[in-house]
Amino acid sequence: MTSPKIVNTATGSIVDVLGLQVGHFTHSQRLTGCSVVLAPQGAVGAVDVRGAAPGTRETDLLDPSNLVEKVHAVLLSGGSAFGLDAASGVMRWLDEHGIGFETGYGRVPIVPAAVLFDLPVVRPGDQAHIRPDADAGYAACQAASNKTPAAGNVGAGAGASVGKLFGLNRAMKGGIGNASVRVGPWVVGALVACNAIGDVLDPATGQVIAGARTADGQSLLDTQAALLRGERSTRPMPGTNTTIGVIATNATLNKAQAKRLAVSAHDGLARTIRPAHTTLDGDTLFALATGTETSAPDLMLLTVMAAEATALATVNAICQARGIETNLGVLPSATDWH
């Protein structure tokens, strides 16, 4: 196999943003799981969906014109639409801890969520019917802390894969990754679960580091170049892919400004995933602003930081992933070839 050079410059994580905690739950009997970003004090939330086949929950309330200002957690999950059930467990945990939107008749936790499609990734001996459920979401909350989260084959990235346009048997292992960027008083962090149909590139070199392999499995194909040469894909079903993530900052933002942060963060996906935002992906990024830094925000700078943190976290997900054996063959990781 060829050995692509990997430049992993990611440092830090989303928990470098004061006020946030991250927890993973990974099933032991099936390579799937979920990841939660907790904001116990509440954080101004927003979302931007660029893929054509998203699986989401509670995204309408994040529109700047709608009532609820703050969210209390964001869930990222495997399991396709089944994985949205894990958000119920996050709500249960938050409710038990008295965290939520005050209605006068009790606190209602606000938990937006997005899922990725990992159903085909089954190891020999796995129980294929298992998907993240409410208990999985609850367990992720119990595991949450302000320590740097684990990366690679954990949580929402446990069953992630990349480079699937020419079939899963020619794909590689995806995962979940972290990064943060600091400039002056501001911090922007990212947590990204990469399950793209496209390839993943090192944005510093433009080199593909993981993705579709050639028919003999011994080298990287370069999906975009292959498509432009006229090679035909296996035309996988829409929605069977998706990269999802959370971008957070300590800046004080309103919902419209947080929305701009989520929009700009997608530039980071476009730099590292090729092709990105396809009709076969449900690419979704949430933004959170905790407001612990009270100085007037430099939105131009923050949007640049968001794109950079997203790109670094995406590459980190691939660098931390490890190859696995599945019922459809081996999914190697980028580090297997390094």
Side-chain angles (χ1 to χ4, degrees), residues 256-323:
Q257 292 170 323
K259 170 74 172 183
R260 182 51 52 187
L261 204 70
V263 169
S264 298
H266 275 282
D267 291 349
L269 294 188
R271 292 173 194 167
T272 52
I273 298 172
R274 191 172 67 191
H277 307 137
T278 76
T279 57
L280 306 176
D281 292 279
D283 298 342
T284 299
L285 294 178
F286 296 95
L288 298 175
T290 62
T292 56
E293 172 55 51
T294 58
S295 58
D298 182 340
L299 196 59
M300 173 67 184
L301 173 60
L302 290 169
T303 56
V304 171
M305 293 169 68
E308 181 69 5
T310 302
L312 291 173
T314 304
V315 173
N316 182 248
I318 299 306
C319 291
Q320 295 300 315
R322 294 296 177 263

Side-chain angles (χ1 to χ4, degrees), residues 18 183-187 249-253 290-297 302:
L18 189 64
V183 179
W186 293 294
V187 181
T249 181
N250 63 344
T252 300
L253 304 179
T290 62
T292 56
E293 172 55 51
T294 58
S295 58
L302 290 169

Side-chain angles (χ1 to χ4, degrees), residues 30-32 78-83 116-123 126-132 159-161 164 168 195 239-241 326-328:
R30 167 73 189 278
L31 200 59
T32 191
S80 188
F82 295 106
L116 55 79
F117 188 91
D118 57 5
L119 301 184
V121 180
V122 180
R123 299 167 299 187
D126 272 357
Q127 297 185 32
H129 67 280
I130 292 177
R131 300 121 178 177
S161 54
K164 292 166 281 188
L168 191 63
N195 187 57
T240 56
N241 307 283
T326 77
N327 289 340
L328 297 175

Side-chain angles (χ1 to χ4, degrees), residues 174-186:
I176 193 166
N178 314 287
S180 66
V181 178
R182 295 174 181 267
V183 179
W186 293 294

Side-chain angles (χ1 to χ4, degrees), residues 182-234:
R182 295 174 181 267
V183 179
W186 293 294
V187 181
V188 176
L191 179 72
V192 175
C194 184
N195 187 57
I197 196 167
D199 300 335
V200 178
L201 290 72
D202 175 357
T205 65
Q207 183 178 26
V208 177
I209 58 174
R213 292 172 288 151
T214 53
D216 63 7
Q218 297 303 302
S219 59
L220 291 165
L221 176 67
D222 190 329
T223 295
Q224 179 169 291
L227 289 173
L228 293 175
R229 287 194 299 267
E231 295 185 28
R232 293 294 181 180
S233 73
T234 57

